[in-house]
Amino acid sequence: MPDWSYQPLLRPLLFRLPAAVARDGTLHAIAALAATPFGPAAIDALGHMGAPEGIGRAAFGSRVVSPIGLSAGFDSGAVAPAALGRFGFGWLEVGPVAFDPPPALSPTRDAANGALRFPAGLPAADAHVVAHRLADRRPPPGVRLAVRLRGAGWRDGRAPAEIASLAGLFAPVVDALVIEMPFDAHEPGEGHGLMGSVVDRVSAEVKAAVAGVVAAAVAARRAARDRAPSVLIALPPDVDERRAERWATAALAAGAEGVVVGGGVGDGHGGRVVGGPARAGTIAMIGRLRAAMGPGVTLVAGDGVIEPGDALAMLAAGADLVGLHAGLVYSGPGLPKRINEALLLRGRRDKSAERSTSEATRDATGIVAVSTTNVPSPSTPNAPSPSPRPWWIAYAFIAVTMTVAGLLAGAVALTAVVLPYDLRWVGLTRADLAAANPRLMDFMAHDRLSLAGTMVSLGLLYAMLTAFGVRRGVHWAARAMGGSIVVGLASFFLFLSHGYLDPLHAVLSGTIALLFVLGRRWPAASPPDVPAPDLVNDAAWRRAMAGQLALVLLAVGLVGGGLTIAFVGGSRVFVGSDLAFMHTTYERLAAVSRRLLPLIAHDRAGFGGALVATGVASGGVALWGFRRGASWVWWTVLLSGLPGLAGTLAIHAAVGYTNAAHLAPVVSVGALYAVGLGASWSYLCDARS
């Protein structure tokens, strides 16, 4: 459920349910989808949310594809890591986990503040259940897995042994162990005006307890045969500053590698609040710890992100990684993708600034300044292949070929309607066709001009995808165009199934197939162009989600309509309104010539195939192309939609085929087209949005 379906449709429905019911139902639904053979591909197709190359960093003893992850408390029981790992996360933190946890209390929402309130703190999941699930519900390769451990017995000294048992259970299956500090623990003497010696004595006891549990976890980590997970501690953002530094220092001395700041802030009634209210505290705590601990300690900002700009603020404060929780509830599952792309844009701008500085240094001194961090090695995935030939031009020729062929087909439909080789194959003259039924030629013109308009639309769509996507090596654009071309070429076999080999269709299909093979040689694995950082959930963004939904539905309608037309053409050829328009019956038309109906069916198959190909390409644009400031996407939708829509409506009006039921799909497509363009204008085109 990407943002275009979550924001306009699913969020209003889910928010009518109790928060825990909505969360658990959603997690189980996406987990079930990911478990199906085609589920992972469906998740990828709907959102195209994988982390782009170029934003990864070292963490958890290896490398994460993105610094953005999922914080503990969202999927405590490890229900859906296989699905969530496809949302653009670089790491997932499950838990908290504990032995024999108490029953969980349902959280409540505070939408005005972007918050979730947990009456008794983040509920813990049963450790044995979670460990069993992680055995077969792994996230995709490259996505690291962490687990938050909650031990009991901090007050009576049993915590180290329990943490050691939990660590031993999970060390073989995760990349990081996160030890949760007790949120309700209070060091006696803090805030009570006692003498410094008493405070020092108590602090020493607490530090010893922290060091003990960390040492136990480190020992369990070392005992793991297949992996050695990192060990971190988790502190709440509202913990006392002095206590945070003492605990962090003790943990690092005992072998921990970093600190997670998360788990919410106290609500004054024994509960914890995650989300917006924790933002300021998390940023402040990260800043203080970074200043105190230096650059070598891993710091994770695990709470307070609602909009993409919040995550960038936490990274700027000194966080190495940022975890999401309440933001997924209020912004939607596309939040990690939006943050990732903002990071990608920032990285590109930083590199551009470095290059500009190097060039300025060279111009001023005559010495070329080389930044070793900017020079890709031969093994770097982002390094371009040496001087590739511009095979993308083949895709441009496909666009031109399709557009010209559509214009020529339109000219024929408006004049002769049928070509000489059509008449030779069917064994009739134009006069014979007109005599057989006065409206037959109008009906064939209606089919052929509708096809012509769709071909021109498809050609313009290909041209825009090539110019703004394929030429730049953008993966999603090449994927959308390639899928559409394959579908269009496959529809050629529908022509053959009717026994009529249309020579122009054969030449067109063969030309496009050859150009497609050549175009496939062009490398297209680059991340998307990001015109502007999408940092806020403003009104323009919310409207754009509704507009994107309209355009996705339009694409689905084109695919469904095309398949229907192709099926009807391949079976009974006509629908009831067609025969009513011509005031005839199937039998009467079949009696005119045994080849007349196959000729008409061939036209319908071509129109249906072109509609499906258009739906696939426009669906790729709608699903994967929406980004703030991507004005070319808006113009692509506008320009590519006009010929097909206008041509279809015009020919129906011209020949008098105005049956309301027959035109209802066309009118519906037009309405979705208008809504999609209108709702997305400010997000895609207005630089002030």
Side-chain angles (χ1 to χ4, degrees):
M1 65 179 151
D3 288 350
W4 52 262
S5 62
Y6 181 77
Q7 286 293 334
L9 294 178
L10 296 176
R11 175 178 156 162
L13 296 176
L14 291 172
F15 273 41
R16 293 179 178 272
L17 301 173
V21 174
R23 179 200 61 206
D24 294 344
T26 300
L27 289 175
H28 282 94
I30 62 174
L33 175 61
T36 63
F38 301 104
I43 295 172
D44 293 342
L46 287 174
H48 214 264
M49 295 185 289
E53 291 184 354
I55 65 169
R57 59 188 60 190
F60 300 150
S62 57
R63 188 168 182 81
V64 294
V65 295
S66 167
I68 308 306
L70 183 71
S71 291
F74 190 89
D75 186 15
S76 300
V79 173
L84 292 168
R86 313 193 82 87
F87 282 26
F89 292 119
W91 53 277
L92 305 175
E93 184 184 4
V94 300
V97 297
F99 295 126
D100 300 320
L105 299 179
S106 180
T108 56
R109 305 184 190 92
D110 177 6
N113 295 307
L116 297 172
R117 179 180 178 274
F118 293 85
L122 296 181
D126 185 276
H128 293 292
V129 172
V130 172
H132 177 74
R133 285 176 176 167
L134 290 180
D136 59 359
R137 301 188 186 186
R138 306 291 301 176
V143 178
R144 305 305 171 192
L145 192 61
V147 61
R148 184 171 297 193
L149 311 178
R150 176 177 293 172
W154 282 84
R155 297 182 184 278
D156 57 14
R158 292 182 293 109
E162 185 153 354
I163 291 294
S165 297
L166 288 168
L169 181 63
F170 286 98
V173 294
V174 299
D175 301 286
L177 302 167
V178 181
I179 304 170
E180 183 179 85
M181 297 293 103
F183 293 172
D184 60 346
H186 178 76
E187 295 185 22
E190 285 188 352
H192 293 282
L194 299 183
M195 298 300 293
S197 59
V198 177
V199 175
D200 291 341
R201 178 179 57 79
V202 175
S203 297
E205 294 174 357
V206 174
K207 286 196 291 185
V210 172
V213 295
V214 172
V218 170
R221 176 192 68 180
R222 291 170 178 165
R225 295 181 180 179
D226 299 330
R227 60 177 69 211
S230 302
V231 175
L232 301 91
I233 65 168
L235 298 173
D238 58 347
V239 71
D240 177 83
E241 178 180 349
R242 295 169 298 169
R243 188 194 306 181
E245 291 187 13
R246 284 196 296 269
W247 287 14
T249 301
L252 294 172
E257 299 174 22
V259 179
V260 176
V261 179
V265 294
D267 64 356
H269 304 284
R272 307 295 298 180
V273 179
V274 302
R279 181 191 302 111
T282 301
I283 293 175
M285 177 69 74
I286 288 290
R288 288 194 298 266
L289 290 176
R290 179 59 72 202
M293 304 297 167
V297 176
T298 299
L299 295 182
V300 183
D303 199 0
V305 174
I306 302 299
E307 300 177 325
D310 300 332
L312 268 62
M314 291 179 183
L315 291 169
D320 298 292
L321 306 175
V322 175
L324 310 182
H325 187 165
L328 290 178
V329 175
Y330 292 104
S331 290
L335 181 59
K337 175 182 177 179
R338 295 166 66 200
I339 301 172
N340 286 338
E341 293 187 351
L343 292 174
L344 180 67
L345 177 61
R346 187 180 70 176
R348 287 172 173 170
R349 288 178 174 175
D350 289 346
K351 288 183 178 181
S352 177
E354 287 180 15
R355 284 194 296 268
S356 298
T357 302
S358 297
E359 291 171 2
T361 303
R362 178 194 60 198
D363 293 341
T365 65
I367 301 173
V368 178
V370 178
S371 172
T372 57
T373 60
N374 236 8
V375 179
S377 68
S379 61
T380 301
N382 281 332
S385 56
S387 302
R389 294 181 179 179
W391 292 110
W392 63 267
I393 293 176
Y395 283 103
F397 276 119
I398 291 176
V400 172
T401 300
M402 184 65 68
T403 304
V404 171
L407 292 172
L408 293 175
V412 171
L414 291 172
T415 54
V417 182
V418 289
L419 293 168
Y421 61 77
D422 293 327
L423 296 172
R424 284 196 301 271
W425 188 79
V426 81
L428 298 172
T429 64
R430 287 186 179 83
D432 293 333
L433 292 175
N437 186 287
R439 288 190 166 183
L440 178 58
M441 293 291 280
D442 285 344
F443 180 79
M444 295 182 69
H446 135 275
D447 265 1
R448 293 194 163 189
L449 191 63
S450 297
L451 169 61
T454 303
M455 291 172 65
V456 173
S457 286
L458 191 55
L460 291 175
L461 189 52
Y462 287 169
M464 298 292 279
L465 280 170
T466 300
F468 293 96
V470 175
R471 180 174 63 87
R472 299 171 179 174
V474 175
H475 175 258
W476 76 258
R479 183 179 179 187
M481 190 166 174
S484 174
I485 292 171
V486 169
V487 168
L489 291 174
S491 69
F492 177 72
F493 295 98
L494 293 175
F495 307 154
L496 298 180
S497 68
H498 301 295
Y500 179 38
L501 178 61
D502 183 330
L504 288 183
H505 282 160
V507 170
L508 177 63
S509 298
T511 301
I512 290 176
L514 176 61
L515 291 171
F516 179 56
V517 170
L518 294 175
R520 291 282 292 175
R521 301 183 66 180
W522 176 248
S526 299
D529 285 333
V530 183
D534 190 11
L535 302 181
V536 295
N537 298 345
D538 56 5
W541 173 75
R542 289 190 293 271
R543 286 194 300 270
M545 295 303 97
Q548 189 176 6
L549 173 62
L551 295 178
V552 170
L553 292 176
L554 186 153
V556 171
L558 291 177
V559 172
L563 292 173
T564 300
I565 291 171
F567 174 78
V568 170
S571 53
R572 60 181 185 271
V573 185
F574 306 106
V575 294
S577 61
D578 297 334
L579 297 173
F581 168 73
M582 292 183 285
H583 303 296
T584 189
T585 64
Y586 181 94
E587 291 73 20
R588 288 178 185 175
L589 291 174
V592 174
S593 168
R594 65 182 181 86
R595 289 184 169 180
L596 176 60
L597 294 187
L599 175 64
I600 297 173
H602 145 272
D603 288 351
R604 315 219 92 177
F607 181 36
L611 274 181
V612 174
T614 304
V616 170
S618 61
V621 172
L623 286 171
W624 309 325
F626 262 58
R627 286 169 182 86
R628 191 182 295 270
S631 57
W632 76 269
V633 170
W634 193 90
W635 286 103
T636 296
V637 175
L638 175 68
L639 296 177
S640 65
L642 284 176
L645 187 61
T648 300
L649 289 173
I651 191 60
H652 279 82
V655 302
Y657 192 174
T658 56
N659 178 275
H662 180 74
L663 287 176
V666 183
V667 173
S668 299
V669 165
L672 291 170
Y673 174 73
V675 170
L677 288 171
S680 61
W681 160 258
S682 58
Y683 180 75
L684 294 176
C685 298
D686 189 351
R688 297 169 299 176
S689 66

